[in-house]
Amino acid sequence: MNSFIIRLDKKETFKMPLKLWERYSRREVHDIFDPFSNFVPQRGTWGLQGIVKIPERSNDFVFFVTIGHKEGNFKFREGIDENGILTWQSQPKQKLTDHKIKQFINHDHLVNNIYLFLRSNKINPETKKSEPYTYLGRLGYIKHDPNQEQPVHFTWQLLDWDLEEMKTHTNIEIIPAAITSKENHLQENSLTVTDKPNNSPKKNNLPLSNASIVDFAEENEKKQELGLKGELLVFQTEVNFLNINKREDLAQKVFHTSKEEGDGAGYDILSWTLDGQKKYIEVKTTRGGIKTPYYMSANEIKYTQDNASKYYLYRLYEYCDKNNNAKAYIIHGDISKICSLTPTQYKII
């Protein structure tokens, strides 16, 4: 947990934790991350800028975002949807070639941090001043628009997202997920199979790690809930496929292994090919786009290596809770030979 210093005077200080959903002024945020520099209201880096590099921390930033903010004639088009997807624009003069923009495009939330402090542009009627910023946690890069600059358009995932907390602690209007991810074009209760990413997973360096998590960091209960929704969608898709192709005998044998046995088997669903061969299916589900990072445990990696000919990874993305649908691509074989594995934790002995 991060901590910061509140300056009572030149002699007295004490520490308090940085907490999600708490409100902070710019001065307080400055005192969290850069307590030994001077703070000047409405001036300088911490007093004025929307993007602040944290000193002596490689590729760590603080984002100050005001929804509905204008700079001259330019109005930022930014917002958060119900799945914690943030649409965000850089400073109006920034180009794709700018150093900071390249840092954001290459941001790895497993290594570096971007801290989001958010507020609306509404003025408090009592104080006649802008509201403080609410700390919404860290961000994970999803994608950017390579065809737009000045400003550059980004999509981020809030790693500590909680919709109910957002509604409780802020007056920010939440955007329906269908508008930001266009999932309303898919049929309800359906799985739409797509091609793999334009570049192969190997070239894209999609991170698979030794953390058995299926989405950007939410509470464990919510991660498991999303993972189960994806598994149930794949389970029903497999049953339907076998029934449609007149293999009712095999459809009755499709087994939801992770639901019945837990996560230790190395795969989630046992299904079948039309000629009766076993399919060991692992399901990875995210609400973000096709390039959203996903994770695998060491046990899952070993299982794909030991059972390559029968192993299938169903990579579900853009999952929509409202319509219970998603897009997906399928990888068949040894994941370690197809995708790049990026370690995120180390056992020290």
Side-chain angles (χ1 to χ4, degrees), residues 289-331:
I290 194 169
K291 293 186 179 181
T292 304
Y294 58 99
Y295 307 86
M296 297 187 73
S297 67
N299 180 53
E300 290 168 342
I301 293 296
K302 186 176 186 304
Y303 195 88
T304 179
Q305 294 169 338
D306 293 343
N307 300 275
S309 64
K310 301 177 182 179
Y311 184 89
Y312 297 80
L313 174 68
Y314 281 51
R315 172 68 179 98
L316 276 60
Y317 62 96
E318 294 184 17
Y319 178 83
C320 176
D321 295 86
K322 181 179 180 180
N323 297 325
N324 185 38
N325 58 29
K327 297 176 183 177
Y329 62 85
I330 300 171
I331 297 176

mmCIF file of all heavy atoms in Angstrom, residues 289-331:
data_model
loop_
_atom_site.group_PDB
_atom_site.id
_atom_site.type_symbol
_atom_site.label_atom_id
_atom_site.label_comp_id
_atom_site.label_asym_id
_atom_site.label_seq_id
_atom_site.Cartn_x
_atom_site.Cartn_y
_atom_site.Cartn_z
ATOM 1 N N GLY A 289 -10.477 -5.494 -25.193
ATOM 2 C CA GLY A 289 -10.364 -5.890 -26.581
ATOM 3 C C GLY A 289 -9.444 -7.070 -26.815
ATOM 4 O O GLY A 289 -8.940 -7.709 -25.882
ATOM 5 N N ILE A 290 -9.191 -7.339 -28.085
ATOM 6 C CA ILE A 290 -8.466 -8.536 -28.499
ATOM 7 C C ILE A 290 -7.027 -8.566 -27.976
ATOM 8 O O ILE A 290 -6.442 -9.627 -27.804
ATOM 9 C CB ILE A 290 -8.488 -8.654 -30.045
ATOM 10 C CG1 ILE A 290 -8.047 -10.046 -30.496
ATOM 11 C CG2 ILE A 290 -7.663 -7.555 -30.693
ATOM 12 C CD1 ILE A 290 -8.300 -10.318 -31.964
ATOM 13 N N LYS A 291 -6.445 -7.396 -27.706
ATOM 14 C CA LYS A 291 -5.068 -7.352 -27.232
ATOM 15 C C LYS A 291 -4.957 -7.194 -25.719
ATOM 16 O O LYS A 291 -3.871 -6.976 -25.188
ATOM 17 C CB LYS A 291 -4.313 -6.219 -27.933
ATOM 18 C CG LYS A 291 -4.121 -6.467 -29.427
ATOM 19 C CD LYS A 291 -3.251 -5.405 -30.066
ATOM 20 C CE LYS A 291 -3.055 -5.677 -31.551
ATOM 21 N NZ LYS A 291 -2.189 -4.651 -32.187
ATOM 22 N N THR A 292 -6.084 -7.307 -25.007
ATOM 23 C CA THR A 292 -6.034 -7.241 -23.551
ATOM 24 C C THR A 292 -5.205 -8.404 -23.004
ATOM 25 O O THR A 292 -5.455 -9.557 -23.362
ATOM 26 C CB THR A 292 -7.451 -7.314 -22.959
ATOM 27 O OG1 THR A 292 -8.249 -6.282 -23.522
ATOM 28 C CG2 THR A 292 -7.400 -7.154 -21.442
ATOM 29 N N PRO A 293 -4.218 -8.136 -22.146
ATOM 30 C CA PRO A 293 -3.407 -9.237 -21.592
ATOM 31 C C PRO A 293 -4.260 -10.216 -20.797
ATOM 32 O O PRO A 293 -5.255 -9.848 -20.191
ATOM 33 C CB PRO A 293 -2.416 -8.519 -20.671
ATOM 34 C CG PRO A 293 -2.356 -7.123 -21.192
ATOM 35 C CD PRO A 293 -3.746 -6.822 -21.685
ATOM 36 N N TYR A 294 -3.863 -11.477 -20.804
ATOM 37 C CA TYR A 294 -4.512 -12.489 -19.991
ATOM 38 C C TYR A 294 -3.423 -13.344 -19.350
ATOM 39 O O TYR A 294 -2.245 -13.217 -19.672
ATOM 40 C CB TYR A 294 -5.486 -13.340 -20.810
ATOM 41 C CG TYR A 294 -4.883 -14.065 -21.986
ATOM 42 C CD1 TYR A 294 -4.520 -15.408 -21.905
ATOM 43 C CD2 TYR A 294 -4.669 -13.406 -23.199
ATOM 44 C CE1 TYR A 294 -3.975 -16.085 -22.980
ATOM 45 C CE2 TYR A 294 -4.128 -14.074 -24.285
ATOM 46 C CZ TYR A 294 -3.787 -15.406 -24.178
ATOM 47 O OH TYR A 294 -3.240 -16.057 -25.245
ATOM 48 N N TYR A 295 -3.798 -14.216 -18.444
ATOM 49 C CA TYR A 295 -2.818 -14.879 -17.592
ATOM 50 C C TYR A 295 -3.074 -16.376 -17.502
ATOM 51 O O TYR A 295 -4.207 -16.825 -17.602
ATOM 52 C CB TYR A 295 -2.853 -14.268 -16.181
ATOM 53 C CG TYR A 295 -2.696 -12.778 -16.204
ATOM 54 C CD1 TYR A 295 -3.793 -11.959 -16.387
ATOM 55 C CD2 TYR A 295 -1.441 -12.200 -16.093
ATOM 56 C CE1 TYR A 295 -3.662 -10.582 -16.444
ATOM 57 C CE2 TYR A 295 -1.295 -10.822 -16.146
ATOM 58 C CZ TYR A 295 -2.404 -10.023 -16.323
ATOM 59 O OH TYR A 295 -2.270 -8.666 -16.391
ATOM 60 N N MET A 296 -1.991 -17.114 -17.290
ATOM 61 C CA MET A 296 -2.100 -18.552 -17.101
ATOM 62 C C MET A 296 -1.187 -18.973 -15.955
ATOM 63 O O MET A 296 -0.123 -18.393 -15.749
ATOM 64 C CB MET A 296 -1.728 -19.301 -18.385
ATOM 65 C CG MET A 296 -2.659 -19.001 -19.551
ATOM 66 S SD MET A 296 -2.354 -20.023 -21.022
ATOM 67 C CE MET A 296 -3.019 -21.605 -20.471
ATOM 68 N N SER A 297 -1.617 -19.986 -15.233
ATOM 69 C CA SER A 297 -0.808 -20.497 -14.131
ATOM 70 C C SER A 297 0.270 -21.440 -14.661
ATOM 71 O O SER A 297 0.203 -21.921 -15.805
ATOM 72 C CB SER A 297 -1.698 -21.245 -13.135
ATOM 73 O OG SER A 297 -2.221 -22.422 -13.731
ATOM 74 N N ALA A 298 1.260 -21.722 -13.837
ATOM 75 C CA ALA A 298 2.316 -22.659 -14.216
ATOM 76 C C ALA A 298 1.729 -24.036 -14.512
ATOM 77 O O ALA A 298 2.163 -24.738 -15.430
ATOM 78 C CB ALA A 298 3.354 -22.745 -13.092
ATOM 79 N N ASN A 299 0.703 -24.432 -13.739
ATOM 80 C CA ASN A 299 0.048 -25.709 -13.956
ATOM 81 C C ASN A 299 -0.645 -25.747 -15.323
ATOM 82 O O ASN A 299 -0.595 -26.756 -16.034
ATOM 83 C CB ASN A 299 -0.974 -25.957 -12.839
ATOM 84 C CG ASN A 299 -1.706 -27.278 -13.012
ATOM 85 O OD1 ASN A 299 -1.102 -28.331 -13.149
ATOM 86 N ND2 ASN A 299 -3.028 -27.206 -13.031
ATOM 87 N N GLU A 300 -1.288 -24.632 -15.696
ATOM 88 C CA GLU A 300 -1.970 -24.570 -16.986
ATOM 89 C C GLU A 300 -0.984 -24.633 -18.146
ATOM 90 O O GLU A 300 -1.237 -25.288 -19.160
ATOM 91 C CB GLU A 300 -2.803 -23.282 -17.067
ATOM 92 C CG GLU A 300 -4.010 -23.299 -16.146
ATOM 93 C CD GLU A 300 -4.663 -21.942 -16.005
ATOM 94 O OE1 GLU A 300 -4.016 -20.923 -16.336
ATOM 95 O OE2 GLU A 300 -5.824 -21.899 -15.558
ATOM 96 N N ILE A 301 0.164 -23.968 -17.992
ATOM 97 C CA ILE A 301 1.194 -24.003 -19.043
ATOM 98 C C ILE A 301 1.723 -25.424 -19.213
ATOM 99 O O ILE A 301 1.881 -25.919 -20.333
ATOM 100 C CB ILE A 301 2.336 -23.041 -18.712
ATOM 101 C CG1 ILE A 301 1.844 -21.588 -18.764
ATOM 102 C CG2 ILE A 301 3.503 -23.237 -19.684
ATOM 103 C CD1 ILE A 301 1.397 -21.125 -20.129
ATOM 104 N N LYS A 302 1.989 -26.085 -18.099
ATOM 105 C CA LYS A 302 2.509 -27.460 -18.170
ATOM 106 C C LYS A 302 1.491 -28.385 -18.836
ATOM 107 O O LYS A 302 1.862 -29.262 -19.630
ATOM 108 C CB LYS A 302 2.852 -27.990 -16.781
ATOM 109 C CG LYS A 302 3.539 -29.356 -16.807
ATOM 110 C CD LYS A 302 3.949 -29.798 -15.415
ATOM 111 C CE LYS A 302 4.777 -31.092 -15.494
ATOM 112 N NZ LYS A 302 4.073 -32.176 -16.191
ATOM 113 N N TYR A 303 0.199 -28.169 -18.541
ATOM 114 C CA TYR A 303 -0.820 -29.049 -19.120
ATOM 115 C C TYR A 303 -0.883 -28.893 -20.638
ATOM 116 O O TYR A 303 -1.025 -29.873 -21.366
ATOM 117 C CB TYR A 303 -2.192 -28.755 -18.504
ATOM 118 C CG TYR A 303 -3.181 -29.855 -18.784
ATOM 119 C CD1 TYR A 303 -3.289 -30.942 -17.926
ATOM 120 C CD2 TYR A 303 -3.983 -29.832 -19.925
ATOM 121 C CE1 TYR A 303 -4.168 -31.983 -18.191
ATOM 122 C CE2 TYR A 303 -4.864 -30.862 -20.201
ATOM 123 C CZ TYR A 303 -4.957 -31.935 -19.332
ATOM 124 O OH TYR A 303 -5.812 -32.964 -19.604
ATOM 125 N N THR A 304 -0.768 -27.650 -21.111
ATOM 126 C CA THR A 304 -0.809 -27.448 -22.569
ATOM 127 C C THR A 304 0.400 -28.079 -23.252
ATOM 128 O O THR A 304 0.309 -28.555 -24.377
ATOM 129 C CB THR A 304 -0.898 -25.939 -22.913
ATOM 130 O OG1 THR A 304 -0.916 -25.787 -24.320
ATOM 131 C CG2 THR A 304 0.269 -25.164 -22.381
ATOM 132 N N GLN A 305 1.542 -28.120 -22.549
ATOM 133 C CA GLN A 305 2.739 -28.757 -23.103
ATOM 134 C C GLN A 305 2.590 -30.277 -23.134
ATOM 135 O O GLN A 305 3.001 -30.930 -24.096
ATOM 136 C CB GLN A 305 3.962 -28.361 -22.277
ATOM 137 C CG GLN A 305 4.299 -26.878 -22.371
ATOM 138 C CD GLN A 305 5.345 -26.452 -21.357
ATOM 139 O OE1 GLN A 305 5.546 -27.105 -20.326
ATOM 140 N NE2 GLN A 305 6.030 -25.344 -21.632
ATOM 141 N N ASP A 306 1.986 -30.845 -22.098
ATOM 142 C CA ASP A 306 1.856 -32.296 -21.999
ATOM 143 C C ASP A 306 0.732 -32.856 -22.880
ATOM 144 O O ASP A 306 0.718 -34.051 -23.189
ATOM 145 C CB ASP A 306 1.589 -32.705 -20.543
ATOM 146 C CG ASP A 306 2.786 -32.437 -19.635
ATOM 147 O OD1 ASP A 306 3.893 -32.243 -20.172
ATOM 148 O OD2 ASP A 306 2.597 -32.411 -18.400
ATOM 149 N N ASN A 307 -0.228 -32.002 -23.262
ATOM 150 C CA ASN A 307 -1.397 -32.478 -24.006
ATOM 151 C C ASN A 307 -1.654 -31.617 -25.246
ATOM 152 O O ASN A 307 -2.800 -31.294 -25.569
ATOM 153 C CB ASN A 307 -2.630 -32.447 -23.096
ATOM 154 C CG ASN A 307 -2.476 -33.318 -21.869
ATOM 155 O OD1 ASN A 307 -2.736 -34.517 -21.898
ATOM 156 N ND2 ASN A 307 -2.056 -32.706 -20.768
ATOM 157 N N ALA A 308 -0.571 -31.268 -25.937
ATOM 158 C CA ALA A 308 -0.656 -30.294 -27.032
ATOM 159 C C ALA A 308 -1.655 -30.684 -28.109
ATOM 160 O O ALA A 308 -2.406 -29.852 -28.617
ATOM 161 C CB ALA A 308 0.723 -30.075 -27.636
ATOM 162 N N SER A 309 -1.697 -31.944 -28.491
ATOM 163 C CA SER A 309 -2.552 -32.350 -29.609
ATOM 164 C C SER A 309 -4.040 -32.233 -29.288
ATOM 165 O O SER A 309 -4.869 -32.117 -30.191
ATOM 166 C CB SER A 309 -2.226 -33.787 -30.026
ATOM 167 O OG SER A 309 -2.520 -34.695 -28.976
ATOM 168 N N LYS A 310 -4.383 -32.272 -28.014
ATOM 169 C CA LYS A 310 -5.791 -32.227 -27.609
ATOM 170 C C LYS A 310 -6.163 -30.929 -26.896
ATOM 171 O O LYS A 310 -7.289 -30.781 -26.419
ATOM 172 C CB LYS A 310 -6.104 -33.415 -26.685
ATOM 173 C CG LYS A 310 -5.853 -34.769 -27.316
ATOM 174 C CD LYS A 310 -6.117 -35.890 -26.330
ATOM 175 C CE LYS A 310 -5.808 -37.250 -26.949
ATOM 176 N NZ LYS A 310 -6.036 -38.354 -25.977
ATOM 177 N N TYR A 311 -5.213 -29.970 -26.848
ATOM 178 C CA TYR A 311 -5.420 -28.762 -26.046
ATOM 179 C C TYR A 311 -5.925 -27.614 -26.917
ATOM 180 O O TYR A 311 -5.394 -27.332 -27.997
ATOM 181 C CB TYR A 311 -4.107 -28.346 -25.370
ATOM 182 C CG TYR A 311 -4.253 -27.155 -24.447
ATOM 183 C CD1 TYR A 311 -4.580 -27.328 -23.116
ATOM 184 C CD2 TYR A 311 -4.077 -25.860 -24.935
ATOM 185 C CE1 TYR A 311 -4.722 -26.240 -22.262
ATOM 186 C CE2 TYR A 311 -4.223 -24.766 -24.092
ATOM 187 C CZ TYR A 311 -4.553 -24.969 -22.768
ATOM 188 O OH TYR A 311 -4.702 -23.893 -21.940
ATOM 189 N N TYR A 312 -6.941 -26.894 -26.410
ATOM 190 C CA TYR A 312 -7.522 -25.751 -27.113
ATOM 191 C C TYR A 312 -7.698 -24.593 -26.131
ATOM 192 O O TYR A 312 -8.314 -24.769 -25.065
ATOM 193 C CB TYR A 312 -8.886 -26.102 -27.704
ATOM 194 C CG TYR A 312 -8.844 -27.174 -28.755
ATOM 195 C CD1 TYR A 312 -8.774 -28.516 -28.397
ATOM 196 C CD2 TYR A 312 -8.880 -26.857 -30.114
ATOM 197 C CE1 TYR A 312 -8.741 -29.519 -29.356
ATOM 198 C CE2 TYR A 312 -8.855 -27.846 -31.088
ATOM 199 C CZ TYR A 312 -8.780 -29.174 -30.697
ATOM 200 O OH TYR A 312 -8.749 -30.167 -31.654
ATOM 201 N N LEU A 313 -7.166 -23.438 -26.485
ATOM 202 C CA LEU A 313 -7.383 -22.226 -25.697
ATOM 203 C C LEU A 313 -8.461 -21.402 -26.393
ATOM 204 O O LEU A 313 -8.305 -20.990 -27.541
ATOM 205 C CB LEU A 313 -6.105 -21.403 -25.571
ATOM 206 C CG LEU A 313 -6.271 -20.040 -24.896
ATOM 207 C CD1 LEU A 313 -6.607 -20.212 -23.418
ATOM 208 C CD2 LEU A 313 -5.015 -19.191 -25.046
ATOM 209 N N TYR A 314 -9.574 -21.165 -25.716
ATOM 210 C CA TYR A 314 -10.627 -20.295 -26.222
ATOM 211 C C TYR A 314 -10.435 -18.923 -25.571
ATOM 212 O O TYR A 314 -10.683 -18.753 -24.378
ATOM 213 C CB TYR A 314 -12.012 -20.852 -25.867
ATOM 214 C CG TYR A 314 -12.484 -21.967 -26.764
ATOM 215 C CD1 TYR A 314 -11.672 -23.070 -27.020
ATOM 216 C CD2 TYR A 314 -13.740 -21.939 -27.337
ATOM 217 C CE1 TYR A 314 -12.101 -24.111 -27.832
ATOM 218 C CE2 TYR A 314 -14.189 -22.980 -28.154
ATOM 219 C CZ TYR A 314 -13.364 -24.052 -28.400
ATOM 220 O OH TYR A 314 -13.785 -25.079 -29.209
ATOM 221 N N ARG A 315 -9.963 -17.975 -26.374
ATOM 222 C CA ARG A 315 -9.658 -16.626 -25.875
ATOM 223 C C ARG A 315 -10.853 -15.707 -26.129
ATOM 224 O O ARG A 315 -11.043 -15.193 -27.222
ATOM 225 C CB ARG A 315 -8.401 -16.104 -26.580
ATOM 226 C CG ARG A 315 -8.087 -14.645 -26.306
ATOM 227 C CD ARG A 315 -7.678 -14.435 -24.849
ATOM 228 N NE ARG A 315 -7.373 -13.009 -24.643
ATOM 229 C CZ ARG A 315 -8.224 -12.132 -24.119
ATOM 230 N NH1 ARG A 315 -9.418 -12.521 -23.714
ATOM 231 N NH2 ARG A 315 -7.876 -10.864 -23.975
ATOM 232 N N LEU A 316 -11.690 -15.523 -25.109
ATOM 233 C CA LEU A 316 -12.868 -14.679 -25.216
ATOM 234 C C LEU A 316 -12.507 -13.230 -24.879
ATOM 235 O O LEU A 316 -11.837 -12.977 -23.863
ATOM 236 C CB LEU A 316 -13.972 -15.149 -24.267
ATOM 237 C CG LEU A 316 -14.885 -16.287 -24.742
ATOM 238 C CD1 LEU A 316 -14.085 -17.545 -25.042
ATOM 239 C CD2 LEU A 316 -15.966 -16.566 -23.708
ATOM 240 N N TYR A 317 -12.942 -12.286 -25.702
ATOM 241 C CA TYR A 317 -12.688 -10.867 -25.452
ATOM 242 C C TYR A 317 -13.939 -10.057 -25.779
ATOM 243 O O TYR A 317 -14.880 -10.567 -26.397
ATOM 244 C CB TYR A 317 -11.476 -10.379 -26.251
ATOM 245 C CG TYR A 317 -11.627 -10.467 -27.754
ATOM 246 C CD1 TYR A 317 -12.039 -9.371 -28.507
ATOM 247 C CD2 TYR A 317 -11.345 -11.652 -28.434
ATOM 248 C CE1 TYR A 317 -12.178 -9.462 -29.885
ATOM 249 C CE2 TYR A 317 -11.483 -11.747 -29.809
ATOM 250 C CZ TYR A 317 -11.896 -10.647 -30.534
ATOM 251 O OH TYR A 317 -12.042 -10.731 -31.894
ATOM 252 N N GLU A 318 -13.962 -8.822 -25.310
ATOM 253 C CA GLU A 318 -15.136 -7.951 -25.458
ATOM 254 C C GLU A 318 -16.387 -8.631 -24.910
ATOM 255 O O GLU A 318 -17.482 -8.536 -25.483
ATOM 256 C CB GLU A 318 -15.336 -7.522 -26.914
ATOM 257 C CG GLU A 318 -14.223 -6.640 -27.442
ATOM 258 C CD GLU A 318 -14.473 -6.123 -28.854
ATOM 259 O OE1 GLU A 318 -15.644 -6.173 -29.294
ATOM 260 O OE2 GLU A 318 -13.512 -5.670 -29.492
ATOM 261 N N TYR A 319 -16.227 -9.308 -23.770
ATOM 262 C CA TYR A 319 -17.388 -9.969 -23.168
ATOM 263 C C TYR A 319 -18.381 -8.918 -22.686
ATOM 264 O O TYR A 319 -18.011 -7.932 -22.046
ATOM 265 C CB TYR A 319 -16.982 -10.863 -21.997
ATOM 266 C CG TYR A 319 -18.179 -11.509 -21.331
ATOM 267 C CD1 TYR A 319 -18.728 -12.673 -21.856
ATOM 268 C CD2 TYR A 319 -18.776 -10.927 -20.221
ATOM 269 C CE1 TYR A 319 -19.851 -13.254 -21.275
ATOM 270 C CE2 TYR A 319 -19.896 -11.492 -19.641
ATOM 271 C CZ TYR A 319 -20.433 -12.655 -20.164
ATOM 272 O OH TYR A 319 -21.550 -13.216 -19.601
ATOM 273 N N CYS A 320 -19.666 -9.123 -22.977
ATOM 274 C CA CYS A 320 -20.738 -8.215 -22.583
ATOM 275 C C CYS A 320 -21.634 -8.911 -21.569
ATOM 276 O O CYS A 320 -22.280 -9.907 -21.884
ATOM 277 C CB CYS A 320 -21.547 -7.784 -23.800
ATOM 278 S SG CYS A 320 -22.966 -6.739 -23.402
ATOM 279 N N ASP A 321 -21.674 -8.387 -20.336
ATOM 280 C CA ASP A 321 -22.500 -8.988 -19.288
ATOM 281 C C ASP A 321 -23.983 -8.903 -19.639
ATOM 282 O O ASP A 321 -24.743 -9.852 -19.405
ATOM 283 C CB ASP A 321 -22.243 -8.279 -17.958
ATOM 284 C CG ASP A 321 -20.829 -8.482 -17.459
ATOM 285 O OD1 ASP A 321 -19.936 -7.710 -17.862
ATOM 286 O OD2 ASP A 321 -20.610 -9.403 -16.665
ATOM 287 N N LYS A 322 -24.392 -7.765 -20.182
ATOM 288 C CA LYS A 322 -25.810 -7.539 -20.450
ATOM 289 C C LYS A 322 -26.363 -8.554 -21.437
ATOM 290 O O LYS A 322 -27.455 -9.102 -21.243
ATOM 291 C CB LYS A 322 -26.017 -6.122 -20.983
ATOM 292 C CG LYS A 322 -27.469 -5.777 -21.265
ATOM 293 C CD LYS A 322 -27.594 -4.349 -21.765
ATOM 294 C CE LYS A 322 -29.050 -4.001 -22.056
ATOM 295 N NZ LYS A 322 -29.196 -2.605 -22.548
ATOM 296 N N ASN A 323 -25.636 -8.821 -22.511
ATOM 297 C CA ASN A 323 -26.122 -9.722 -23.557
ATOM 298 C C ASN A 323 -25.528 -11.116 -23.478
ATOM 299 O O ASN A 323 -25.890 -11.984 -24.283
ATOM 300 C CB ASN A 323 -25.820 -9.125 -24.939
ATOM 301 C CG ASN A 323 -26.536 -7.818 -25.171
ATOM 302 O OD1 ASN A 323 -27.652 -7.626 -24.710
ATOM 303 N ND2 ASN A 323 -25.887 -6.905 -25.873
ATOM 304 N N ASN A 324 -24.616 -11.332 -22.534
ATOM 305 C CA ASN A 324 -23.933 -12.622 -22.404
ATOM 306 C C ASN A 324 -23.392 -13.092 -23.750
ATOM 307 O O ASN A 324 -23.705 -14.175 -24.249
ATOM 308 C CB ASN A 324 -24.865 -13.689 -21.825
ATOM 309 C CG ASN A 324 -24.139 -15.009 -21.564
ATOM 310 O OD1 ASN A 324 -22.982 -15.019 -21.146
ATOM 311 N ND2 ASN A 324 -24.810 -16.122 -21.812
ATOM 312 N N ASN A 325 -22.566 -12.237 -24.354
ATOM 313 C CA ASN A 325 -21.924 -12.635 -25.605
ATOM 314 C C ASN A 325 -20.485 -12.139 -25.612
ATOM 315 O O ASN A 325 -20.080 -11.322 -24.780
ATOM 316 C CB ASN A 325 -22.702 -12.126 -26.829
ATOM 317 C CG ASN A 325 -22.861 -10.617 -26.847
ATOM 318 O OD1 ASN A 325 -22.039 -9.877 -26.328
ATOM 319 N ND2 ASN A 325 -23.943 -10.145 -27.453
ATOM 320 N N ALA A 326 -19.721 -12.658 -26.537
ATOM 321 C CA ALA A 326 -18.305 -12.302 -26.636
ATOM 322 C C ALA A 326 -17.788 -12.677 -28.014
ATOM 323 O O ALA A 326 -18.413 -13.459 -28.741
ATOM 324 C CB ALA A 326 -17.488 -13.021 -25.565
ATOM 325 N N LYS A 327 -16.651 -12.114 -28.352
ATOM 326 C CA LYS A 327 -15.894 -12.565 -29.504
ATOM 327 C C LYS A 327 -14.812 -13.513 -28.991
ATOM 328 O O LYS A 327 -14.437 -13.467 -27.818
ATOM 329 C CB LYS A 327 -15.269 -11.387 -30.238
ATOM 330 C CG LYS A 327 -16.289 -10.415 -30.815
ATOM 331 C CD LYS A 327 -15.591 -9.217 -31.458
ATOM 332 C CE LYS A 327 -16.599 -8.205 -31.974
ATOM 333 N NZ LYS A 327 -15.926 -6.998 -32.533
ATOM 334 N N ALA A 328 -14.294 -14.353 -29.866
ATOM 335 C CA ALA A 328 -13.283 -15.310 -29.419
ATOM 336 C C ALA A 328 -12.422 -15.768 -30.582
ATOM 337 O O ALA A 328 -12.883 -15.829 -31.720
ATOM 338 C CB ALA A 328 -13.944 -16.526 -28.775
ATOM 339 N N TYR A 329 -11.171 -16.061 -30.287
ATOM 340 C CA TYR A 329 -10.349 -16.813 -31.228
ATOM 341 C C TYR A 329 -9.802 -18.024 -30.498
ATOM 342 O O TYR A 329 -9.784 -18.073 -29.258
ATOM 343 C CB TYR A 329 -9.234 -15.953 -31.834
ATOM 344 C CG TYR A 329 -8.215 -15.396 -30.877
ATOM 345 C CD1 TYR A 329 -7.103 -16.147 -30.481
ATOM 346 C CD2 TYR A 329 -8.331 -14.099 -30.385
ATOM 347 C CE1 TYR A 329 -6.157 -15.638 -29.618
ATOM 348 C CE2 TYR A 329 -7.377 -13.576 -29.526
ATOM 349 C CZ TYR A 329 -6.297 -14.346 -29.142
ATOM 350 O OH TYR A 329 -5.354 -13.831 -28.285
ATOM 351 N N ILE A 330 -9.403 -19.024 -31.251
ATOM 352 C CA ILE A 330 -9.016 -20.318 -30.676
ATOM 353 C C ILE A 330 -7.576 -20.639 -31.044
ATOM 354 O O ILE A 330 -7.168 -20.488 -32.198
ATOM 355 C CB ILE A 330 -9.955 -21.434 -31.188
ATOM 356 C CG1 ILE A 330 -11.402 -21.120 -30.783
ATOM 357 C CG2 ILE A 330 -9.525 -22.803 -30.637
ATOM 358 C CD1 ILE A 330 -12.420 -22.048 -31.424
ATOM 359 N N ILE A 331 -6.803 -21.060 -30.052
ATOM 360 C CA ILE A 331 -5.432 -21.509 -30.260
ATOM 361 C C ILE A 331 -5.366 -23.005 -29.942
ATOM 362 O O ILE A 331 -5.802 -23.434 -28.877
ATOM 363 C CB ILE A 331 -4.441 -20.733 -29.377
ATOM 364 C CG1 ILE A 331 -4.445 -19.245 -29.749
ATOM 365 C CG2 ILE A 331 -3.034 -21.304 -29.506
ATOM 366 C CD1 ILE A 331 -3.571 -18.390 -28.850
#
